[in-house]
Structure formats: structure tokens, C-alpha cells
């Protein structure tokens, strides 16, 4: 069981600094910072939000080919094997989110279901997201180091006024972007954008 102390969170940061590229590590710190700020804004657990932000891209240290190989022996508790096979083929960039909960448990003894779920859904989102899942999903999109995306300043402002609406806007923006590039669009992101 993980001890949610500042010292332990800092140890994870130090470990990830060695494993992730400089740019990915800066992004990770930006997501952790933004998730903590959003948690303060919405009265959520700041430590869980920060730690979720720190952990969200832990699988990015591995190549897609390594993830695909490792995923053979890993059952994603949130989806089925056909989904994992589909994204392995059509959208390997999503694999890191599927695999992140496993690495969080294995490498850092994270057992907290809220954190594991938040890092699992930070890329695609899903229908009926919890507040922590929304926070990490949005933080990943709006963090300070994020390259300039269309409407990013408006989405950043919206995120601190209406988180659920910001989630919707981000999902629709992601669908529009991926569609314009002819890229695979995940069914969970479609469901999130259509959620009423």
C-alpha cells in the first residue's frame, strides 16, 4: 500500500525524471501541478490529483512495441481483450493509458482505485467520469507546457469555471482533430462527447 506522503511522491518524481524524456517529464510535472490546482478549485483530494498527474504518463517510458508485448499478459480491468487488440493495431498511442495502472501498481504499489482509474482514462475519457477522472483528463490537455491548441486559452478558463463542460469541449476538439487527420477515434471519446 502506498503512503501518500510528500516524500514518497517526490521519490516517484525523481524516478520518473530518470525514465522519461525531458519534454515528457516537464509535461508530467505540468499535469500534476494543473491537476492539483483543479482539485483545489473543485474541492477534491489535492494529493490524489497531483499523484494521478505524476503517474498518468508512466508508460510513455516504454516503446509501443514493448507495451504491446507486455499487454499480452495484462488484463485491463476496464475493457476487454478485443478492445486492447483493436487499439494495439489502430491507435497504439492509447496503449500507454491502458497500461499505466498496471505500472503504477507494479512499480509504486499504488492500489487506490480512484487514482488507477484516473490515469487509465486520461487519454480517451469515458462516459460518467468521476471528478478525479475529469480533473486528470482536463489537466493533461491544458497544462502550462502544452503546445498551443485551438481555443486553448478559452478551454483553460472554462476548466476552472465548469469542469464538465470543459471535458465535453476537449472531447469534441479531439474528435475533430483526429477526424481531420484521418486517425482512429476511440469509442470511449465518442461516448464522452455524446454524453448528456
Amino acid at each position: 500500500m502506498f503512503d501518500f506522503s510528500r516524500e514518497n511522491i517526490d521519490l516517484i518524481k525523481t524516478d520518473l525524471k530518470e525514465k522519461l524524456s525531458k519534454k515528457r517529464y516537464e509535461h508530467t510535472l505540468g499535469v500534476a501541478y494543473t491537476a492539483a490546482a483543479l482539485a483545489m478549485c473543485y474541492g477534491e483530494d489535492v494529493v490524489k490529483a497531483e499523484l494521478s498527474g505524476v503517474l498518468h504518463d508512466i508508460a510513455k517510458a516504454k516503446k509501443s512495441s514493448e507495451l504491446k508485448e507486455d499487454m499480452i499478459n495484462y488484463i485491463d480491468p476496464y475493457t476487454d481483450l478485443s478492445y486492447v487488440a483493436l487499439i494495439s493495431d489502430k491507435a497504439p498511442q492509447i496503449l500507454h493509458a491502458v497500461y499505466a495502472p498496471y505500472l503504477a501498481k507494479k512499480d509504486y504499489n499504488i492500489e487506490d482505485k480512484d487514482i488507477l482509474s484516473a490515469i487509465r482514462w486520461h487519454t480517451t475519457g469515458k462516459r460518467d467520469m468521476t471528478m478525479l477522472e475529469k480533473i486528470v483528463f482536463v489537466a493533461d490537455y491544458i497544462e502550462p507546457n502544452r503546445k498551443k491548441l485551438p481555443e486553448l486559452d478559452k478551454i483553460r478558463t472554462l476548466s476552472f469555471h465548469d469542469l464538465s463542460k470543459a471535458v465535453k469541449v476537449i472531447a469534441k476538439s479531439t474528435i475533430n482533430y483526429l477526424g481531420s487527420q484521418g486517425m482512429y477515434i476511440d469509442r470511449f471519446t465518442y461516448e464522452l462527447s455524446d454524453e448528456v
Side-chain angles (χ1 to χ4, degrees):
M1 188 71 113
F2 183 79
D3 170 15
F4 289 89
S5 67
R6 170 60 44 207
E7 181 182 18
N8 285 339
I9 293 171
D10 288 343
L11 285 172
I12 293 175
K13 287 180 183 178
T14 300
D15 188 50
L16 289 176
K17 187 173 186 178
E18 298 298 316
K19 292 179 178 176
L20 298 172
S21 70
K22 183 177 188 287
K23 185 175 179 180
R24 179 65 51 192
Y25 182 68
E26 288 172 359
H27 166 71
T28 294
L29 294 182
V31 173
Y33 169 83
T34 305
L38 286 166
M40 284 186 268
C41 179
Y42 290 103
E44 292 296 311
D45 188 312
V46 176
V47 175
K48 279 188 179 186
E50 179 186 2
L51 185 56
S52 298
V54 168
L55 294 169
H56 85 286
D57 270 353
I58 58 174
K60 286 280 190 171
K62 293 186 172 241
K63 294 178 182 171
S64 288
S65 58
E66 288 179 277
L67 289 177
K68 285 180 187 180
E69 189 175 307
D70 288 345
M71 289 297 282
I72 292 168
N73 298 315
Y74 173 63
I75 305 298
D76 177 23
Y78 307 102
T79 56
D80 57 33
L81 290 174
S82 63
Y83 172 78
V84 174
L86 174 71
I87 64 167
S88 292
D89 181 45
K90 303 244 183 225
Q93 68 277 14
I94 297 174
L95 274 179
H96 79 282
V98 174
Y99 198 54
Y102 170 76
L103 285 180
K105 283 180 174 181
K106 181 174 82 72
D107 293 350
Y108 304 115
N109 297 316
I110 305 296
E111 296 288 339
D112 186 282
K113 291 183 184 342
D114 297 332
I115 292 172
L116 297 176
S117 185
I119 63 177
R120 166 57 184 92
W121 297 109
H122 81 271
T123 300
T124 61
K126 69 175 182 71
R127 188 181 299 278
D128 298 322
M129 293 173 81
T130 66
M131 197 61 145
L132 183 60
E133 289 166 348
K134 289 177 184 179
I135 284 170
V136 178
F137 178 80
V138 169
D140 186 41
Y141 194 88
I142 69 167
E143 63 96 3
N145 302 301
R146 178 61 80 182
K147 71 178 181 179
K148 194 72 169 158
L149 300 165
E151 305 291 314
L152 182 58
D153 291 335
K154 289 180 183 176
I155 295 170
R156 283 178 170 150
T157 300
L158 177 62
S159 298
F160 286 91
H161 294 283
D162 188 338
L163 190 65
S164 294
K165 189 169 183 183
V167 166
K168 281 268 199 251
V169 170
I170 291 168
K172 288 181 180 179
S173 176
T174 299
I175 289 168
N176 290 340
Y177 172 76
L178 293 173
S180 74
Q181 302 297 308
M183 297 172 72
Y184 171 83
I185 301 168
D186 192 83
R187 69 178 162 99
F188 291 107
T189 307
Y190 271 125
E191 288 174 6
L192 176 60
S193 73
D194 291 337
E195 190 176 67
V196 178

